[in-house]
């Protein structure tokens, strides 16, 4: 079966510290992977998407970056976190054709 | 204009009533439309998707799509307190597979 794993579930980091969130997918090959961020009480903002290894597209220029080192691995990073980076980060796997999206459990990031 | 718009709510309905959630989108070439339910602190879960004009029913849920008006809605019959959540409308772009989400509507079903 197809599953998507995301960790950690919660994270509290000081301003200026680095960030690494990892997302892995099982049960499929060459998935289309996405990182979304959700501020409190708001909708999902698309940050990055990747259609293959080493292929990253950014929707919103900001303090974050993404990498796709392996087919089923998608990583969200930052060199120096800002307070405004706080939010709920979701990794998603969208089936080719956009017929459905599966989400990871999400990471609640609080920058203090 | 936002690509996908929803009234943020909260929409409050009594238990047993019909809840009607609405969504409009700007890209006339949009092809697929989705409704997700999100409980506080949790990731979204898919309720329904619809591709063709008209109604699609699944249990207590009915999705309605009107491409001419660029409008998609979700009806929840016999609303239950457990339906209280934020409902997210999502649309696929014509290019690629990206899902673009609306801001969500918070639904409160009162016993």
């Amino acid at each position: 079966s197809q599953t998507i794993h995301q960790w950690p579930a919660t994270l509290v980091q000081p301003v200026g510290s680095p960030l690494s969130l990892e997302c892995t997918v099982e049960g499929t090959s060459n998935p289309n992977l996405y990182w979304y961020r959700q501020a409190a009480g708001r909708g999902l903002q698309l940050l990055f998407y990747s259609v293959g290894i080493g292929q990253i597209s950014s929707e919103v220029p900001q303090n974050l970056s993404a990498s796709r080192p392996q087919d089923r691995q998608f990583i969200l990073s930052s060199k120096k976190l800002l307070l405004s980076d706080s939010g709920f980060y979701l990794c998603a796997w969208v089936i080719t054709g956009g017929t459905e999206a599966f989400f990871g459990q999400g990471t609640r990031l609080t920058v203090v | 204009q936002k690509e996908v718009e929803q009234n943020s709510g909260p929409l409050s309905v009594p238990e047993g009533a019909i809840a009607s959630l609405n969504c409009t989108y700007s890209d006339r070439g949009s092809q697929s439309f989705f409704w997700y339910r999100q409980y506080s602190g949790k990731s979204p879960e898919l309720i329904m998707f619809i591709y063709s004009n008209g109604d699609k029913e699944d249990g207590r849920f009915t999705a309605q799509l009107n491409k001419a008006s660029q409008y998609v809605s979700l009806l929840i019959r016999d609303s239950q307190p457990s339906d209280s959540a934020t409902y997210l409308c999502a649309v696929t772009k014509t290019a690629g597979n990206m899902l673009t989400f609306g801001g969500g509507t918070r639904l409160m079903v009162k016993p």
Side-chain angles (χ1 to χ4, degrees), chain A residues 16-38:
Chain A
S17 64
L19 173 73
S20 181
L21 303 180
E22 188 164 345
C23 173
T24 59
V25 179
E26 295 179 2
T28 186
S29 58
N30 198 30
N32 297 314
L33 298 175
Y34 299 77
W35 280 110
Y36 289 91
R37 178 171 63 195
Q38 187 175 37

Side-chain angles (χ1 to χ4, degrees), chain B residues 35-104:
Chain B
W35 282 100
Y36 284 83
R37 177 175 61 197
Q38 186 179 26
Y39 293 110
S40 180
K42 302 297 184 182
S43 59
E45 53 182 339
L46 182 67
I47 300 174
M48 296 188 67
F49 58 86
I50 186 167
Y51 307 138
S52 304
N53 275 327
D55 295 0
K56 180 180 179 182
E57 186 175 319
D58 184 1
R60 295 187 296 114
F61 299 96
T62 299
Q64 299 174 317
L65 175 61
N66 184 326
K67 289 188 176 181
S69 300
Q70 295 175 242
Y71 174 95
V72 59
S73 65
L74 179 70
L75 301 178
I76 306 175
R77 291 182 298 281
D78 188 23
S79 296
Q80 301 297 309
S82 58
D83 293 326
S84 297
T86 296
Y87 289 79
L88 298 165
C89 172
V91 175
T92 54
K93 289 186 174 183
T94 51
N97 307 307
M98 290 179 290
L99 281 180
T100 301
F101 285 84

Side-chain angles (χ1 to χ4, degrees), chain A residues 9-61:
Chain A
T10 58
L11 193 59
V12 179
Q13 292 283 100
V15 169
S17 64
L19 173 73
S20 181
L21 303 180
E22 188 164 345
C23 173
T24 59
V25 179
E26 295 179 2
T28 186
S29 58
N30 198 30
N32 297 314
L33 298 175
Y34 299 77
W35 280 110
Y36 289 91
R37 178 171 63 195
Q38 187 175 37
R42 307 292 291 274
L44 275 67
Q45 177 188 33
L46 179 62
L47 302 176
F48 300 96
Y49 67 96
S50 173
V51 298
I53 295 174
Q55 300 179 64
I56 308 294
S57 295
S58 174
E59 285 291 298
V60 181

Side-chain angles (χ1 to χ4, degrees), chain B residues 11-27:
Chain B
L11 172 66
S12 183
V13 300
E15 183 175 357
I18 296 175
S20 178
L21 304 162
N22 304 316
C23 172
T24 58
Y25 58 95
S26 60
D27 186 344

